[in-house]
Amino acid sequence: MRFSEHFDINRTEEDDWFDPLLSADTNLCVDPFLIYDDRDEFWALAHDDMIDFYVMVLRMVAKSKGNRKSPSWAKAKSLLLFPEPDEFCLGVTEGSPKGSGSGKGLQGPMLASALTAVGNGIEHIAHVEELVLFQEGMGLDRISDMVCNVLKAHFVTYTQKICRRYDIPTEEIRVRNSSWDSENARWREEFKCLPRNPYTGSAVLLTPSRFLREILTIDANGFWGFAWHEEAEKLRADFNYDLAYKVPAAVKAQLARQNPELVKKYMIEQESLPKDPYDVESDPLLRTTTYEHGREIAKRSPLSFVPTQSEDFPRFVEAMIGSYAHGIEQSDGWRLLWKDGRFRSESVCQSLFRFTASQYCRANKIDMTAEANAGRGPVDFKFVQNWGARVLIEMKLASNSQFWHGLTKQTVQYLTSEELEYAFFVCMCFEDGHFDAEFRNEVKAVSEVTSKAHGVAIEPVFIDARQKVSASKLR
């Protein structure tokens, strides 16, 4: 369910905020460079605050002189702790908003980056990405989490303004890293009047759509490409020319650490280049509209079976998969899974199924969850009616290099760890070779052997997601 749907809001053209799903993360990130480019004075000041935060960290690191036992180092370390801001319902995968988050995983690389900056005489930065380039392992989700934490006070104010406009009910909710104290160099945790997410219990924070991207403006690959163009002769001498764009992340970070002036030059170039946010409305990568598409598939493909007792539950899940398959195969749903003659990723198939199935589950009071031990993405699904009626679904592209491992190892492991006995292994088939009798028979045979070997029941289901010929051409 979307924020606007839950709070019964009819949006207008003046609403610039992204309308998040409350039950699942949307696979987009907040790009700090888009905030930097914004002409709104409120957000221009927000970017200044972000820079002030990292200048404060640099000051603490410089004061510590690299002594990891000093109070200044301890303060810098505590400032660089960024728990996942689940209030935004954003992330690089589309699982529950209550993900594991960056947490301490970002502390070490950011401290090392700050120490590198101080060692190079850098006391002020224009973009937080300058520090990010100095160390490997700081991916898209972590940088976005970092920005959302540092600027959370601004997003609180922005959300409260929208709530007042629409008279959205709010309540006092504890917010981690709600703001930071520059005088004492520490985070604050405060109660804020905000709307509550009914699925997570956390507050909801909104962000302008124009700050969202599928990739960040600044990343290690972009910097490496710039450096290769600007310093080709030097790089050919220092690195194997044949590697070029295939160098490890550690090497790219090493280049940045050894050439801080080149990093600044790269940032200046990026400031002059146009940067477009993700097109939320047209959704070219199918990241923001799978909820609506799933709802439409469910509407056009009603369930053929509803359980009346726990013994019927596996057949209910099977019927739900069948309805999804019908929507893909017979109701043009396959078109959603193709773009420019290429089929989409496994995660898109899973996301579309997730939101189709959620409609059936809601109508029949069935609980559906993405597996916790499968990460935050909908790699597999667990359906629960009661303790005696539980079924697992694992969905894989037939072309996935890990397809057979998913069938013989991964699904079995999920069944074992969750103490389940029944699973459907859904094969998304986009190629003719994956929908012929030989392949189908092999999958069925392996499923049967695996089931017997582990004392479980794994039932394969095949969905024909191949491009179809238009009905008008079937003559």
Side-chain angles (χ1 to χ4, degrees):
M1 183 176 290
R2 293 204 179 276
F3 179 84
S4 61
E5 185 181 359
H6 178 70
F7 290 104
D8 195 23
I9 299 170
N10 292 316
R11 303 184 69 191
T12 67
E13 290 185 358
E14 66 177 301
D15 289 305
D16 63 346
W17 45 276
F18 174 65
D19 191 7
L21 283 168
L22 300 180
S23 58
D25 285 348
T26 299
N27 191 355
L28 294 173
C29 68
V30 175
D31 187 342
F33 231 105
L34 293 180
I35 300 176
Y36 169 81
D37 275 349
D38 204 69
R39 295 182 179 181
D40 187 301
E41 183 179 359
F42 176 81
W43 293 109
L45 293 173
H47 190 273
D48 289 344
D49 280 355
M50 184 160 58
I51 299 309
D52 288 344
F53 176 87
Y54 289 102
V55 170
M56 175 177 63
V57 172
L58 291 175
R59 188 175 68 246
M60 292 294 102
V61 171
K63 189 175 180 180
S64 75
K65 297 181 179 180
N67 180 3
R68 287 164 172 76
K69 295 183 178 180
S70 69
S72 297
W73 182 270
K75 280 191 174 184
K77 186 176 180 180
S78 64
L79 286 167
L80 293 175
L81 181 62
F82 302 109
E84 182 187 10
D86 60 282
E87 302 96 343
F88 292 82
C89 300
L90 298 170
V92 297
T93 52
E94 298 160 33
S96 163
K98 280 286 188 184
S100 57
S102 305
K104 295 182 179 179
L106 196 52
Q107 256 184 344
M110 283 303 294
L111 278 168
S113 294
L115 195 57
T116 297
V118 169
N120 282 287
I122 298 174
E123 298 179 355
H124 186 277
I125 58 173
H127 302 281
V128 63
E129 295 94 328
E130 290 182 46
L131 296 180
V132 169
L133 291 176
F134 290 150
Q135 293 291 323
E136 62 178 309
M138 286 186 275
L140 186 71
D141 55 339
R142 292 184 169 188
I143 296 170
S144 184
D145 285 356
M146 191 165 57
V147 174
C148 290
N149 271 277
V150 175
L151 297 184
K152 194 174 286 187
H154 294 270
F155 288 111
V156 167
T157 300
Y158 176 76
T159 303
Q160 289 174 334
K161 180 180 178 181
I162 294 166
C163 289
R164 288 193 295 271
R165 182 192 309 166
Y166 286 105
D167 197 25
I168 296 171
T170 62
E171 52 186 295
E172 291 279 344
I173 304 174
R174 185 186 297 275
V175 178
R176 295 183 65 185
N177 287 15
S178 56
S179 61
W180 46 274
D181 179 352
S182 59
E183 184 176 344
N184 297 300
R186 65 179 180 84
W187 286 104
R188 298 189 185 99
E189 182 173 298
E190 303 163 303
F191 282 90
K192 296 290 184 180
C193 278
L194 291 166
R196 188 180 292 278
N197 187 327
Y199 295 93
T200 66
S202 301
V204 178
L205 289 177
L206 302 174
T207 180
S209 296
R210 64 184 182 275
F211 294 161
L212 301 179
R213 295 195 83 197
E214 75 278 15
I215 58 173
L216 294 172
T217 300
I218 304 298
D219 65 8
N221 293 330
F223 171 65
W224 179 265
F226 170 82
W228 193 265
H229 180 266
E230 293 289 315
E231 304 284 346
E233 186 174 343
K234 182 178 186 299
L235 287 179
R236 287 189 181 96
D238 293 345
F239 301 94
N240 187 332
Y241 177 74
D242 293 333
L243 290 176
Y245 292 92
K246 298 179 182 179
V247 296
V251 174
K252 295 172 184 176
Q254 178 188 352
L255 172 67
R257 290 194 299 270
Q258 293 175 348
N259 299 272
E261 291 304 316
L262 189 60
V263 171
K264 287 189 176 295
K265 190 175 179 180
Y266 170 57
M267 293 294 173
I268 292 172
E269 182 193 67
Q270 292 301 310
E271 289 177 359
S272 64
L273 297 177
K275 292 165 284 292
D276 296 321
Y278 185 75
D279 191 336
V280 171
E281 297 302 321
S282 66
D283 191 20
L285 300 179
L286 213 63
R287 296 192 178 184
T288 59
T289 59
T290 47
Y291 171 71
E292 285 75 18
H293 289 308
R295 185 168 57 186
E296 185 61 26
I297 288 176
K299 180 179 178 181
R300 290 189 291 176
S301 304
L303 279 180
S304 59
F305 177 79
V306 177
T308 57
Q309 53 188 352
S310 62
E311 289 77 9
D312 298 333
F313 194 58
R315 299 282 67 82
F316 164 73
V317 176
E318 182 180 37
M320 188 161 51
I321 298 171
S323 292
Y324 174 71
H326 183 272
I328 298 299
E329 298 172 348
Q330 306 298 329
S331 299
D332 280 349
W334 63 269
R335 295 182 185 277
L336 298 171
L337 302 179
W338 287 84
K339 175 72 172 176
D340 298 329
R342 301 178 63 182
F343 54 83
R344 295 188 188 268
S345 67
E346 191 168 271
S347 63
V348 169
C349 298
Q350 294 164 343
S351 180
L352 188 61
F353 174 76
R354 174 193 183 97
F355 294 117
T356 303
S358 67
Q359 303 300 314
Y360 302 133
C361 289
R362 184 183 304 170
N364 292 280
K365 298 182 179 180
I366 305 294
D367 177 52
M368 178 186 74
T369 59
E371 286 303 287
N373 62 352
R376 297 181 57 225
V379 177
D380 65 307
F381 306 89
K382 182 176 62 180
F383 297 88
V384 182
Q385 189 175 42
N386 55 54
W387 188 251
R390 305 164 73 223
V391 176
L392 185 77
I393 291 180
E394 171 72 6
M395 181 176 287
K396 288 286 184 190
L397 297 190
S399 58
N400 190 323
S401 61
Q402 295 296 308
F403 177 83
W404 295 107
H405 179 271
L407 175 57
T408 62
K409 303 293 183 182
Q410 195 172 17
T411 302
V412 172
Q413 179 58 51
Y414 292 161
L415 286 170
T416 303
S417 56
E418 289 293 328
E419 298 182 347
L420 302 177
E421 296 180 352
Y422 208 101
F424 289 96
F425 188 79
V426 180
C427 313
M428 298 297 299
C429 304
F430 288 90
E431 303 171 19
D432 291 342
H434 292 137
F435 216 80
D436 61 22
E438 183 178 353
F439 176 75
R440 290 160 63 99
N441 289 336
E442 184 178 6
V443 173
K444 291 176 181 178
V446 172
S447 298
E448 185 175 351
V449 170
T450 303
S451 296
K452 290 181 178 179
H454 297 278
V456 295
I458 301 175
E459 186 172 335
V461 179
F462 303 87
I463 296 181
D464 184 359
R466 293 174 295 179
Q467 297 184 88
K468 310 296 188 297
V469 178
S470 171
S472 62
K473 297 180 180 180
L474 293 174
R475 297 177 179 175

PDB file of all heavy atoms in Angstrom, residues 311-333:
ATOM      1  N   GLU A 311      -5.116 -28.308   5.058  1.00  0.00           N
ATOM      2  CA  GLU A 311      -4.663 -29.268   4.055  1.00  0.00           C
ATOM      3  C   GLU A 311      -4.767 -28.707   2.635  1.00  0.00           C
ATOM      4  O   GLU A 311      -4.096 -29.162   1.717  1.00  0.00           O
ATOM      5  CB  GLU A 311      -5.473 -30.572   4.149  1.00  0.00           C
ATOM      6  CG  GLU A 311      -5.184 -31.416   5.386  1.00  0.00           C
ATOM      7  CD  GLU A 311      -5.845 -30.870   6.647  1.00  0.00           C
ATOM      8  OE1 GLU A 311      -6.667 -29.921   6.525  1.00  0.00           O
ATOM      9  OE2 GLU A 311      -5.538 -31.372   7.748  1.00  0.00           O
ATOM     10  N   ASP A 312      -5.641 -27.718   2.465  1.00  0.00           N
ATOM     11  CA  ASP A 312      -5.834 -27.120   1.142  1.00  0.00           C
ATOM     12  C   ASP A 312      -4.820 -26.023   0.827  1.00  0.00           C
ATOM     13  O   ASP A 312      -4.775 -25.521  -0.306  1.00  0.00           O
ATOM     14  CB  ASP A 312      -7.234 -26.490   1.045  1.00  0.00           C
ATOM     15  CG  ASP A 312      -8.336 -27.517   1.200  1.00  0.00           C
ATOM     16  OD1 ASP A 312      -8.096 -28.695   0.871  1.00  0.00           O
ATOM     17  OD2 ASP A 312      -9.433 -27.131   1.643  1.00  0.00           O
ATOM     18  N   PHE A 313      -4.041 -25.646   1.828  1.00  0.00           N
ATOM     19  CA  PHE A 313      -3.204 -24.453   1.684  1.00  0.00           C
ATOM     20  C   PHE A 313      -2.195 -24.535   0.535  1.00  0.00           C
ATOM     21  O   PHE A 313      -2.049 -23.569  -0.224  1.00  0.00           O
ATOM     22  CB  PHE A 313      -2.497 -24.156   3.003  1.00  0.00           C
ATOM     23  CG  PHE A 313      -1.874 -22.785   3.060  1.00  0.00           C
ATOM     24  CD1 PHE A 313      -2.650 -21.655   2.866  1.00  0.00           C
ATOM     25  CD2 PHE A 313      -0.524 -22.629   3.297  1.00  0.00           C
ATOM     26  CE1 PHE A 313      -2.091 -20.384   2.918  1.00  0.00           C
ATOM     27  CE2 PHE A 313       0.054 -21.369   3.352  1.00  0.00           C
ATOM     28  CZ  PHE A 313      -0.736 -20.243   3.167  1.00  0.00           C
ATOM     29  N   PRO A 314      -1.464 -25.643   0.351  1.00  0.00           N
ATOM     30  CA  PRO A 314      -0.547 -25.721  -0.794  1.00  0.00           C
ATOM     31  C   PRO A 314      -1.247 -25.498  -2.130  1.00  0.00           C
ATOM     32  O   PRO A 314      -0.690 -24.882  -3.043  1.00  0.00           O
ATOM     33  CB  PRO A 314       0.019 -27.138  -0.688  1.00  0.00           C
ATOM     34  CG  PRO A 314      -0.057 -27.466   0.760  1.00  0.00           C
ATOM     35  CD  PRO A 314      -1.352 -26.836   1.208  1.00  0.00           C
ATOM     36  N   ARG A 315      -2.490 -25.988  -2.236  1.00  0.00           N
ATOM     37  CA  ARG A 315      -3.221 -25.800  -3.487  1.00  0.00           C
ATOM     38  C   ARG A 315      -3.619 -24.333  -3.691  1.00  0.00           C
ATOM     39  O   ARG A 315      -3.724 -23.855  -4.823  1.00  0.00           O
ATOM     40  CB  ARG A 315      -4.476 -26.682  -3.499  1.00  0.00           C
ATOM     41  CG  ARG A 315      -4.201 -28.164  -3.400  1.00  0.00           C
ATOM     42  CD  ARG A 315      -3.741 -28.782  -4.726  1.00  0.00           C
ATOM     43  NE  ARG A 315      -2.439 -28.361  -5.222  1.00  0.00           N
ATOM     44  CZ  ARG A 315      -1.273 -28.872  -4.815  1.00  0.00           C
ATOM     45  NH1 ARG A 315      -1.227 -29.811  -3.896  1.00  0.00           N
ATOM     46  NH2 ARG A 315      -0.137 -28.449  -5.344  1.00  0.00           N
ATOM     47  N   PHE A 316      -3.835 -23.625  -2.572  1.00  0.00           N
ATOM     48  CA  PHE A 316      -4.116 -22.196  -2.660  1.00  0.00           C
ATOM     49  C   PHE A 316      -2.905 -21.462  -3.222  1.00  0.00           C
ATOM     50  O   PHE A 316      -3.031 -20.617  -4.118  1.00  0.00           O
ATOM     51  CB  PHE A 316      -4.486 -21.630  -1.287  1.00  0.00           C
ATOM     52  CG  PHE A 316      -4.415 -20.131  -1.215  1.00  0.00           C
ATOM     53  CD1 PHE A 316      -5.375 -19.338  -1.836  1.00  0.00           C
ATOM     54  CD2 PHE A 316      -3.376 -19.507  -0.534  1.00  0.00           C
ATOM     55  CE1 PHE A 316      -5.303 -17.951  -1.774  1.00  0.00           C
ATOM     56  CE2 PHE A 316      -3.300 -18.122  -0.472  1.00  0.00           C
ATOM     57  CZ  PHE A 316      -4.265 -17.344  -1.091  1.00  0.00           C
ATOM     58  N   VAL A 317      -1.718 -21.784  -2.693  1.00  0.00           N
ATOM     59  CA  VAL A 317      -0.497 -21.144  -3.182  1.00  0.00           C
ATOM     60  C   VAL A 317      -0.264 -21.500  -4.644  1.00  0.00           C
ATOM     61  O   VAL A 317       0.127 -20.658  -5.457  1.00  0.00           O
ATOM     62  CB  VAL A 317       0.715 -21.555  -2.315  1.00  0.00           C
ATOM     63  CG1 VAL A 317       2.004 -20.958  -2.880  1.00  0.00           C
ATOM     64  CG2 VAL A 317       0.514 -21.093  -0.865  1.00  0.00           C
ATOM     65  N   GLU A 318      -0.540 -22.754  -4.988  1.00  0.00           N
ATOM     66  CA  GLU A 318      -0.402 -23.183  -6.379  1.00  0.00           C
ATOM     67  C   GLU A 318      -1.363 -22.399  -7.280  1.00  0.00           C
ATOM     68  O   GLU A 318      -1.003 -21.985  -8.390  1.00  0.00           O
ATOM     69  CB  GLU A 318      -0.676 -24.680  -6.498  1.00  0.00           C
ATOM     70  CG  GLU A 318      -0.516 -25.222  -7.905  1.00  0.00           C
ATOM     71  CD  GLU A 318      -0.809 -26.712  -7.978  1.00  0.00           C
ATOM     72  OE1 GLU A 318      -1.722 -27.170  -7.261  1.00  0.00           O
ATOM     73  OE2 GLU A 318      -0.125 -27.408  -8.743  1.00  0.00           O
ATOM     74  N   ALA A 319      -2.594 -22.205  -6.802  1.00  0.00           N
ATOM     75  CA  ALA A 319      -3.575 -21.452  -7.578  1.00  0.00           C
ATOM     76  C   ALA A 319      -3.143 -20.002  -7.741  1.00  0.00           C
ATOM     77  O   ALA A 319      -3.361 -19.384  -8.796  1.00  0.00           O
ATOM     78  CB  ALA A 319      -4.943 -21.516  -6.888  1.00  0.00           C
ATOM     79  N   MET A 320      -2.505 -19.452  -6.700  1.00  0.00           N
ATOM     80  CA  MET A 320      -2.026 -18.079  -6.757  1.00  0.00           C
ATOM     81  C   MET A 320      -0.916 -17.937  -7.802  1.00  0.00           C
ATOM     82  O   MET A 320      -0.896 -16.981  -8.586  1.00  0.00           O
ATOM     83  CB  MET A 320      -1.514 -17.668  -5.363  1.00  0.00           C
ATOM     84  CG  MET A 320      -1.176 -16.214  -5.227  1.00  0.00           C
ATOM     85  SD  MET A 320      -1.120 -15.714  -3.484  1.00  0.00           S
ATOM     86  CE  MET A 320      -0.044 -16.968  -2.791  1.00  0.00           C
ATOM     87  N   ILE A 321       0.001 -18.909  -7.824  1.00  0.00           N
ATOM     88  CA  ILE A 321       1.051 -18.910  -8.843  1.00  0.00           C
ATOM     89  C   ILE A 321       0.423 -19.055 -10.221  1.00  0.00           C
ATOM     90  O   ILE A 321       0.840 -18.403 -11.191  1.00  0.00           O
ATOM     91  CB  ILE A 321       2.061 -20.051  -8.588  1.00  0.00           C
ATOM     92  CG1 ILE A 321       2.760 -19.849  -7.244  1.00  0.00           C
ATOM     93  CG2 ILE A 321       3.098 -20.113  -9.715  1.00  0.00           C
ATOM     94  CD1 ILE A 321       3.605 -21.040  -6.820  1.00  0.00           C
ATOM     95  N   GLY A 322      -0.614 -19.913 -10.308  1.00  0.00           N
ATOM     96  CA  GLY A 322      -1.299 -20.118 -11.577  1.00  0.00           C
ATOM     97  C   GLY A 322      -1.959 -18.849 -12.091  1.00  0.00           C
ATOM     98  O   GLY A 322      -1.935 -18.566 -13.296  1.00  0.00           O
ATOM     99  N   SER A 323      -2.537 -18.075 -11.192  1.00  0.00           N
ATOM    100  CA  SER A 323      -3.168 -16.820 -11.592  1.00  0.00           C
ATOM    101  C   SER A 323      -2.124 -15.820 -12.075  1.00  0.00           C
ATOM    102  O   SER A 323      -2.337 -15.093 -13.050  1.00  0.00           O
ATOM    103  CB  SER A 323      -3.970 -16.225 -10.428  1.00  0.00           C
ATOM    104  OG  SER A 323      -5.082 -17.032 -10.126  1.00  0.00           O
ATOM    105  N   TYR A 324      -0.985 -15.792 -11.385  1.00  0.00           N
ATOM    106  CA  TYR A 324       0.129 -14.932 -11.811  1.00  0.00           C
ATOM    107  C   TYR A 324       0.605 -15.369 -13.199  1.00  0.00           C
ATOM    108  O   TYR A 324       0.820 -14.539 -14.093  1.00  0.00           O
ATOM    109  CB  TYR A 324       1.264 -15.019 -10.791  1.00  0.00           C
ATOM    110  CG  TYR A 324       2.528 -14.283 -11.184  1.00  0.00           C
ATOM    111  CD1 TYR A 324       2.570 -12.890 -11.183  1.00  0.00           C
ATOM    112  CD2 TYR A 324       3.690 -14.974 -11.529  1.00  0.00           C
ATOM    113  CE1 TYR A 324       3.734 -12.205 -11.516  1.00  0.00           C
ATOM    114  CE2 TYR A 324       4.851 -14.307 -11.859  1.00  0.00           C
ATOM    115  CZ  TYR A 324       4.870 -12.927 -11.854  1.00  0.00           C
ATOM    116  OH  TYR A 324       6.039 -12.255 -12.187  1.00  0.00           O
ATOM    117  N   ALA A 325       0.752 -16.688 -13.391  1.00  0.00           N
ATOM    118  CA  ALA A 325       1.194 -17.222 -14.685  1.00  0.00           C
ATOM    119  C   ALA A 325       0.195 -16.855 -15.779  1.00  0.00           C
ATOM    120  O   ALA A 325       0.588 -16.477 -16.892  1.00  0.00           O
ATOM    121  CB  ALA A 325       1.357 -18.733 -14.596  1.00  0.00           C
ATOM    122  N   HIS A 326      -1.095 -16.938 -15.467  1.00  0.00           N
ATOM    123  CA  HIS A 326      -2.110 -16.587 -16.455  1.00  0.00           C
ATOM    124  C   HIS A 326      -1.998 -15.122 -16.855  1.00  0.00           C
ATOM    125  O   HIS A 326      -2.130 -14.759 -18.034  1.00  0.00           O
ATOM    126  CB  HIS A 326      -3.507 -16.873 -15.893  1.00  0.00           C
ATOM    127  CG  HIS A 326      -4.614 -16.601 -16.873  1.00  0.00           C
ATOM    128  ND1 HIS A 326      -5.199 -15.359 -17.010  1.00  0.00           N
ATOM    129  CD2 HIS A 326      -5.229 -17.411 -17.778  1.00  0.00           C
ATOM    130  CE1 HIS A 326      -6.119 -15.410 -17.947  1.00  0.00           C
ATOM    131  NE2 HIS A 326      -6.166 -16.644 -18.430  1.00  0.00           N
ATOM    132  N   GLY A 327      -1.754 -14.278 -15.857  1.00  0.00           N
ATOM    133  CA  GLY A 327      -1.595 -12.856 -16.142  1.00  0.00           C
ATOM    134  C   GLY A 327      -0.395 -12.581 -17.032  1.00  0.00           C
ATOM    135  O   GLY A 327      -0.431 -11.683 -17.885  1.00  0.00           O
ATOM    136  N   ILE A 328       0.683 -13.341 -16.849  1.00  0.00           N
ATOM    137  CA  ILE A 328       1.890 -13.174 -17.666  1.00  0.00           C
ATOM    138  C   ILE A 328       1.677 -13.764 -19.055  1.00  0.00           C
ATOM    139  O   ILE A 328       1.999 -13.136 -20.073  1.00  0.00           O
ATOM    140  CB  ILE A 328       3.101 -13.846 -16.993  1.00  0.00           C
ATOM    141  CG1 ILE A 328       3.404 -13.199 -15.633  1.00  0.00           C
ATOM    142  CG2 ILE A 328       4.332 -13.787 -17.901  1.00  0.00           C
ATOM    143  CD1 ILE A 328       3.763 -11.743 -15.693  1.00  0.00           C
ATOM    144  N   GLU A 329       1.135 -14.954 -19.102  1.00  0.00           N
ATOM    145  CA  GLU A 329       1.055 -15.708 -20.359  1.00  0.00           C
ATOM    146  C   GLU A 329      -0.122 -15.300 -21.251  1.00  0.00           C
ATOM    147  O   GLU A 329       0.011 -15.261 -22.480  1.00  0.00           O
ATOM    148  CB  GLU A 329       0.952 -17.203 -20.058  1.00  0.00           C
ATOM    149  CG  GLU A 329       2.160 -17.756 -19.333  1.00  0.00           C
ATOM    150  CD  GLU A 329       1.974 -19.196 -18.877  1.00  0.00           C
ATOM    151  OE1 GLU A 329       0.833 -19.686 -18.929  1.00  0.00           O
ATOM    152  OE2 GLU A 329       2.970 -19.820 -18.468  1.00  0.00           O
ATOM    153  N   GLN A 330      -1.262 -14.997 -20.645  1.00  0.00           N
ATOM    154  CA  GLN A 330      -2.485 -14.804 -21.422  1.00  0.00           C
ATOM    155  C   GLN A 330      -3.031 -13.380 -21.408  1.00  0.00           C
ATOM    156  O   GLN A 330      -3.879 -13.050 -22.232  1.00  0.00           O
ATOM    157  CB  GLN A 330      -3.581 -15.755 -20.894  1.00  0.00           C
ATOM    158  CG  GLN A 330      -3.190 -17.204 -20.835  1.00  0.00           C
ATOM    159  CD  GLN A 330      -2.867 -17.785 -22.205  1.00  0.00           C
ATOM    160  OE1 GLN A 330      -3.435 -17.363 -23.217  1.00  0.00           O
ATOM    161  NE2 GLN A 330      -1.956 -18.754 -22.255  1.00  0.00           N
ATOM    162  N   SER A 331      -2.568 -12.551 -20.475  1.00  0.00           N
ATOM    163  CA  SER A 331      -3.143 -11.205 -20.355  1.00  0.00           C
ATOM    164  C   SER A 331      -2.116 -10.111 -20.620  1.00  0.00           C
ATOM    165  O   SER A 331      -2.178  -9.020 -20.038  1.00  0.00           O
ATOM    166  CB  SER A 331      -3.757 -11.022 -18.957  1.00  0.00           C
ATOM    167  OG  SER A 331      -4.795 -11.957 -18.741  1.00  0.00           O
ATOM    168  N   ASP A 332      -1.137 -10.433 -21.439  1.00  0.00           N
ATOM    169  CA  ASP A 332      -0.111  -9.464 -21.854  1.00  0.00           C
ATOM    170  C   ASP A 332       0.794  -9.002 -20.721  1.00  0.00           C
ATOM    171  O   ASP A 332       1.531  -8.017 -20.872  1.00  0.00           O
ATOM    172  CB  ASP A 332      -0.752  -8.233 -22.522  1.00  0.00           C
ATOM    173  CG  ASP A 332      -1.130  -8.508 -23.975  1.00  0.00           C
ATOM    174  OD1 ASP A 332      -0.714  -9.556 -24.499  1.00  0.00           O
ATOM    175  OD2 ASP A 332      -1.821  -7.675 -24.573  1.00  0.00           O
ATOM    176  N   GLY A 333       0.771  -9.695 -19.577  1.00  0.00           N
ATOM    177  CA  GLY A 333       1.686  -9.336 -18.503  1.00  0.00           C
ATOM    178  C   GLY A 333       3.141  -9.526 -18.895  1.00  0.00           C
ATOM    179  O   GLY A 333       4.036  -8.879 -18.333  1.00  0.00           O
TER     180      GLY A 333
END
